[in-house]
Amino acid sequence: MASTAAFAATAALAGDPTRAAMLLALMDGRALTAGELASVAGVTPQTASGHLARLVEAGLLVVEAQGRHRYHRLASPLVARMVETLISIAGETQAPPVRVGPRDAALRHARTCYDHLAGRVAVGITERMVATGALVLGDDGGELTGSGQQLLLRIGIDVPAPGRGRRAFCRPCLDWSERRFHLAGVVGSALLDGLLALGWLRRTAGSRAVTVTPAGEQGVRGAFGFDPRASAGPETSLRRGA
Amino acid sequence: MASTAAFAATAALAGDPTRAAMLLALMDGRALTAGELASVAGVTPQTASGHLARLVEAGLLVVEAQGRHRYHRLASPLVARMVETLISIAGETQAPPVRVGPRDAALRHARTCYDHLAGRVAVGITERMVATGALVLGDDGGELTGSGQQLLLRIGIDVPAPGRGRRAFCRPCLDWSERRFHLAGVVGSALLDGLLALGWLRRTAGSRAVTVTPAGEQGVRGAFGFDPRASAGPETSLRRGA
DNA sequence: GGGATGCTTCGGCGCAGACCGAAGGATCAC
DNA sequence: GTGATCCTTCGGTCTGCGCCGAAGCATCCC
C-alpha cells in the first residue's frame, strides 16, 4: 500500500478534539491567529502552538506571518472537503449527543461552509433552483443551466465560465444540519459572495452563522421563489444519506 | 457546534494505524472476516476484535454473522468517500515516504477503488471518454452524455437511468496514485462490473489490484481508443491537485 | 459426544502524546 | 531604550489507549 501510515497520520491529526475544534473553526474560510485558535479550542497558547505546527507541517493548514500575529487557514478546498465529509459521517452515525441550543438554531438556519452558503436557507435556495430547472444536480455532480446562469445574472451575480480548471465548478455538498444538499464549488462560492455584496446576507461576528437582512428576505423570495422565513419550519428527518 | 466531539471521535477512529489498515483493506467493497482483517492489519484476533467492535458501533462498518464467521464491510459509500478523501490528502501533503515496490506498481496500473476502477487504466479510459465527448466532467461533478451512453451500450454495459436517487450517479474521484480523476458513482460502478463481466479485467486474489486480460487490452483499445499497455509510461507529476 | 476453529471478553502492561508552567525570541508601541 | 503582546521551545507529569496472554462462548466437523 502506498502508505497506510500517511493515511492514519492524517486522520489522527483531525482526530484530536483540540485540533478538530481548530479545523472546524477555520471552516468558514477565514484565517485566524494562533491565539484565537487557542481560545476557540480551549487550551493555552503553548499547547495550541504545538498543534498548529503539526497541522501546518502535515499540509492541512497554511500559515502567514503578519507582524507578531500568525494567521492560519485551511490549506486547500480539499482539506475543507475532508472536514465536510467527516462532519457528515459523524452526524450520520452518532445519536444526537446533546440538546441543540439557540446558537445551533442560528447555524442551522444559515451559515457559511468554507466558501459557500449552508443551512436551511442554502438548502431551500438550492432545491428551488433544481425545481425550476436553473440547476441540475445528481448526487455528487451538478450543472448550472443556461436559465440558471441568467437567473443569477439578473440579480447581479456573474458566474465565471466553467472551464477545465481544477477547481470544482458546481457540486452538491451534504448539509450536516439538514441532511440534504446545498450548492458548493465555484457557483456556490459566487452565490455566497454575491448575496453578501447585495446586502441580502450579513456575516455575524465570531460565528459561522449568517443572518438574512430584510432586503434579503424580499430579494431571495423574488429571485428564487423561496421564503427564508419559511425555513423556521419543523425539523427534517432524513435518516440515511448518500 | 453540533459536535466537535463526534467529529474528532470519527476521525480518531480512522487515525489509528491498525484501524486504518482495516478500512483500506475494505476499500474494494468486499466483506472480510474478523480474522482476515486481523491478519491484514498485523495484529492478534483479540486486538482486531476490539477495533472492529468500535468501528461497527460508530457506524463506519457493518457486520454480518455467517456461521462462525463475521463478515465486515464499509457501512456506506459515504464512508468509502471519507477514506478516499483522506487518501488524497495524505498523498497530497506527505512527501513520498518510502520507495514504491512492484506490488505498488500493479496497484498503480489498475485496481478497484471501493466499487469502481482506479489507477492508470481508469484514468486513461476516463480521460479518453472526456476527450471524445462521451463524458463531461467538472471537477466534482459529471455527466454521461448520450454518446457516452451509446458507447457503453455498444460493449454491453447498460447504465441505469440517472434518476433523482440519493446515490451519486456520475462523479470524478481523485486517483491517489495518478493525482488525476477517474470515474466513480453509479456509472463508474457499472463500468467496473461490466468490464469484469466481459472478461476484460480480472480481480487478483488478496489484493485490490486488477489485471487487464489480453481480450481486455484489445477491447479497451477498440472501445475507448486507449491502450492499457501504454500506461506503463513515465510517472506523472502533478504536484498540487484540486 | 469430543475436538477444532473463529471470535469475544477480561486484565494488566507499556508507550505515545496531550497538557501546562516556565522561560526565551520576535514584533509592536512609546 | 522599556514594556507589552504574540508566539514558540523546553521539561516534566499524567492519562488514554493499543497491545497481548489467558480464558470463555459459539459454531462447525466428525
Side-chain angles (χ1 to χ4, degrees):
Chain A
M1 185 54 53
S3 190
T4 6
F7 172 92
T10 305
L13 279 176
D16 174 77
T18 300
R19 288 189 296 262
M22 292 173 168
L23 289 173
L24 289 170
L26 292 170
M27 272 299 282
D28 63 0
R30 285 178 308 172
L32 300 180
T33 67
E36 288 169 330
L37 287 167
S39 157
V40 164
V43 292
T44 59
Q46 63 268 33
T47 299
S49 178
H51 287 302
L52 290 171
R54 293 182 57 182
L55 288 168
V56 169
E57 208 230 343
L60 296 189
L61 301 185
V62 290
V63 61
E64 193 177 343
Q66 215 168 96
R68 53 186 164 180
H69 297 277
R70 299 186 37 121
Y71 285 92
H72 300 259
R73 61 185 169 76
L74 298 188
S76 75
L78 193 58
V79 176
R81 198 164 162 197
M82 174 194 78
V83 176
E84 279 172 16
T85 311
L86 281 165
I87 292 174
S88 300
I89 301 226
E92 188 79 16
T93 56
Q94 313 271 338
V98 288
R99 198 76 198 91
V100 295
R103 172 132 168 267
D104 283 313
L107 282 177
R108 292 175 113 81
H109 185 251
R111 68 182 179 277
T112 53
C113 171
Y114 193 57
D115 62 356
H116 55 272
L117 191 65
R120 273 194 283 263
V121 173
V123 170
I125 289 177
T126 302
E127 294 189 345
R128 283 301 300 165
M129 286 179 72
V130 169
T132 59
L135 199 62
V136 178
L137 284 188
D139 212 42
D140 278 318
E143 190 190 349
L144 185 68
T145 65
S147 85
Q149 210 159 354
Q150 283 169 21
L151 166 66
L152 296 184
L153 211 50
R154 212 174 304 137
I155 58 174
I157 299 178
D158 191 8
V159 179
R164 277 274 169 279
R166 289 223 112 3
R167 174 90 164 79
F169 178 63
C170 171
R171 67 180 181 87
C173 171
L174 188 58
D175 196 294
W176 62 257
S177 61
E178 296 302 295
R179 305 297 164 76
R180 283 143 74 198
F181 291 95
H182 60 247
L183 194 53
V186 171
V187 177
S189 173
L191 184 65
L192 173 62
D193 291 345
L195 296 181
L196 287 169
L198 284 168
W200 291 8
L201 300 180
R202 192 157 34 220
R203 288 184 191 273
T204 58
S207 165
R208 290 169 56 200
V210 168
T211 58
V212 182
T213 65
E217 288 185 8
Q218 201 172 344
V220 167
R221 201 163 42 236
F224 299 102
F226 166 76
D227 188 345
R229 288 176 311 183
S231 58
E235 296 291 311
T236 57
S237 64
L238 174 56
R239 287 313 304 161
R240 300 228 151 249
Chain B
M1 184 53 53
S3 191
T4 13
F7 172 93
T10 306
L13 237 29
D16 173 76
T18 300
R19 287 189 296 262
M22 292 172 169
L23 289 173
L24 289 170
L26 293 169
M27 272 299 283
D28 63 359
R30 285 177 308 172
L32 300 182
T33 67
E36 287 169 331
L37 287 167
S39 156
V40 163
V43 293
T44 60
Q46 62 269 33
T47 299
S49 177
H51 287 303
L52 290 170
R54 294 181 57 182
L55 288 168
V56 169
E57 207 231 342
L60 296 189
L61 301 185
V62 289
V63 61
E64 193 178 343
Q66 212 168 100
R68 53 186 166 181
H69 297 277
R70 305 198 14 129
Y71 286 92
H72 299 260
R73 61 184 168 78
L74 299 188
S76 75
L78 191 59
V79 176
R81 198 165 162 195
M82 174 193 78
V83 176
E84 279 173 15
T85 311
L86 280 165
I87 292 174
S88 301
I89 300 224
E92 187 78 17
T93 57
Q94 314 269 339
V98 287
R99 199 74 198 93
V100 295
R103 171 128 170 270
D104 283 312
L107 283 177
R108 294 174 112 82
H109 186 251
R111 66 180 179 279
T112 53
C113 172
Y114 192 58
D115 62 358
H116 55 273
L117 191 64
R120 274 193 282 263
V121 172
V123 170
I125 289 178
T126 303
E127 295 188 345
R128 284 301 301 164
M129 287 180 72
V130 169
T132 58
L135 199 62
V136 178
L137 285 188
D139 213 38
D140 277 318
E143 190 191 347
L144 185 69
T145 65
S147 85
Q149 210 160 351
Q150 283 170 21
L151 167 64
L152 295 183
L153 211 49
R154 211 173 306 137
I155 59 174
I157 299 178
D158 191 7
V159 178
R164 278 273 168 280
R166 287 222 115 2
R167 174 91 164 79
F169 178 62
C170 172
R171 68 181 180 83
C173 171
L174 188 58
D175 196 293
W176 63 257
S177 60
E178 296 301 295
R179 304 298 161 76
R180 284 143 74 197
F181 292 95
H182 60 246
L183 194 53
V186 171
V187 178
S189 172
L191 184 64
L192 173 61
D193 291 344
L195 295 181
L196 287 168
L198 283 168
W200 290 9
L201 299 180
R202 191 157 34 220
R203 290 183 190 273
T204 58
S207 164
R208 290 169 56 202
V210 167
T211 57
V212 182
T213 64
E217 287 184 8
Q218 199 170 345
V220 168
R221 201 163 43 235
F224 300 100
F226 166 76
D227 188 346
R229 288 176 312 182
S231 59
E235 297 291 311
T236 57
S237 64
L238 173 56
R239 286 314 303 162
R240 300 226 151 251

